[in-house]
Amino acid sequence: MTSSSQAPAPSPDRGSSAGRGTRMAATFTVLGVLIAALAFARDVFDWRVGPEATTSSAPPTGVAVVDPTGSTGPGSARPAASPPQTVRLDTLQVEAGSANLTKLPRQLADRPEYERAIVVGCPTNAGADKQRDVAFRLQRRFLDLNATVHPYFASPEDRESAVIVYAQVAIHKTDGTVSRLTRGQQFEARMSDPRELVADVEGADELILRVQCEAPGGSVVFTGATVTRG
């Protein structure tokens, strides 16, 4: 009985195995280079890869964050409130008593603190002439009156005479009547002692300055007279 001959098993292809090994090594080398490059870019340029790319970063410390409402973050200064707007009283229309206004005494004309002063002549104190009024139109547009009262008497014997000033308001009602109220009073200003006059004029249609003088022949000078706009 004759045995059949068996063909020898094929030997491994050493050339093919070596080529595959070389290609795999090159692939791993390239991947390593790419991974190193991405890590370097992340550290230096703060790049985000994958899920980290969708996460918003927090603002740097110390930088104010402004939201749509206009408020700022902690530590930021808020804008200061604007001061109230003031209007010079001498720019308003005189409603009544313009005849009681007079010129600034010549002795005071060159002094800068009396620039744009309002001057009301003192009454004669004879008969019904005991007080003098001057009315200014407000039209309910103002809130407060501020002024400094300076009496002036040319006669040396009257230099210590006192004056009194009232700040009154007139309010026109819907039924046609007018209500007058005293909102401010300044007591006994003298040439040696000027006094401040402050009054609330909110809601007033007119402001009336009423002056009374201890001696006739003098003047009541209002400096820095302003009203604040409402």
Side-chain angles (χ1 to χ4, degrees):
M1 181 174 181
T2 304
S3 60
S4 62
S5 60
Q6 184 175 4
S11 60
D13 187 355
R14 294 183 179 179
S16 298
S17 298
R20 285 195 297 270
T22 301
R23 287 193 295 271
M24 291 179 65
T27 301
F28 285 124
T29 300
V30 171
L31 288 176
V33 171
L34 289 176
I35 293 172
L38 288 175
F40 178 79
R42 181 191 61 191
D43 295 338
V44 176
F45 300 105
D46 197 24
W47 285 5
R48 294 291 183 265
V49 180
E52 291 182 354
T54 61
T55 304
S56 59
S57 59
T61 304
V63 178
V65 179
V66 181
D67 65 19
T69 63
S71 61
T72 57
S76 58
R78 294 182 179 274
S82 301
Q85 182 182 4
T86 59
V87 177
R88 297 290 300 237
L89 190 60
D90 64 342
T91 64
L92 302 183
Q93 181 176 333
V94 177
E95 289 285 273
S98 58
N100 295 327
L101 295 172
T102 187
K103 294 182 179 180
L104 185 69
R106 181 172 54 85
Q107 294 83 349
L108 306 177
D110 295 333
R111 297 172 61 174
E113 63 266 32
Y114 290 95
E115 184 180 2
R116 297 183 64 175
I118 296 173
V119 187
V120 181
C122 284
T124 62
N125 292 338
D129 188 19
K130 305 292 186 182
Q131 60 193 25
R132 299 280 176 88
D133 292 355
V134 179
F136 297 87
R137 179 184 293 183
L138 298 185
Q139 296 180 310
R140 305 189 181 189
R141 294 182 295 146
F142 302 98
L143 301 177
D144 299 290
L145 164 71
N146 289 272
T148 303
V149 178
H150 301 262
Y152 181 80
F153 295 92
S155 175
E157 58 267 23
D158 294 332
R159 294 289 174 88
E160 288 304 312
S161 297
V163 304
I164 298 176
V165 177
Y166 298 87
Q168 296 183 330
V169 296
I171 301 173
H172 297 265
K173 298 183 177 180
T174 55
D175 60 2
T177 60
V178 178
S179 175
R180 291 182 64 152
L181 304 171
T182 298
R183 293 280 184 87
Q185 181 176 353
Q186 170 274 319
F187 297 93
E188 296 191 359
R190 303 175 188 272
M191 288 185 65
S192 59
D193 185 22
R195 304 291 294 273
E196 299 298 317
L197 177 65
V198 178
D200 174 13
V201 298
E202 183 175 4
D205 295 289
E206 298 173 15
L207 164 68
I208 301 100
L209 297 179
R210 170 170 292 179
V211 304
Q212 297 174 342
C213 300
E214 191 174 21
S219 302
V220 182
V221 182
F222 297 85
T223 62
T226 60
V227 283
T228 57
R229 188 179 295 278

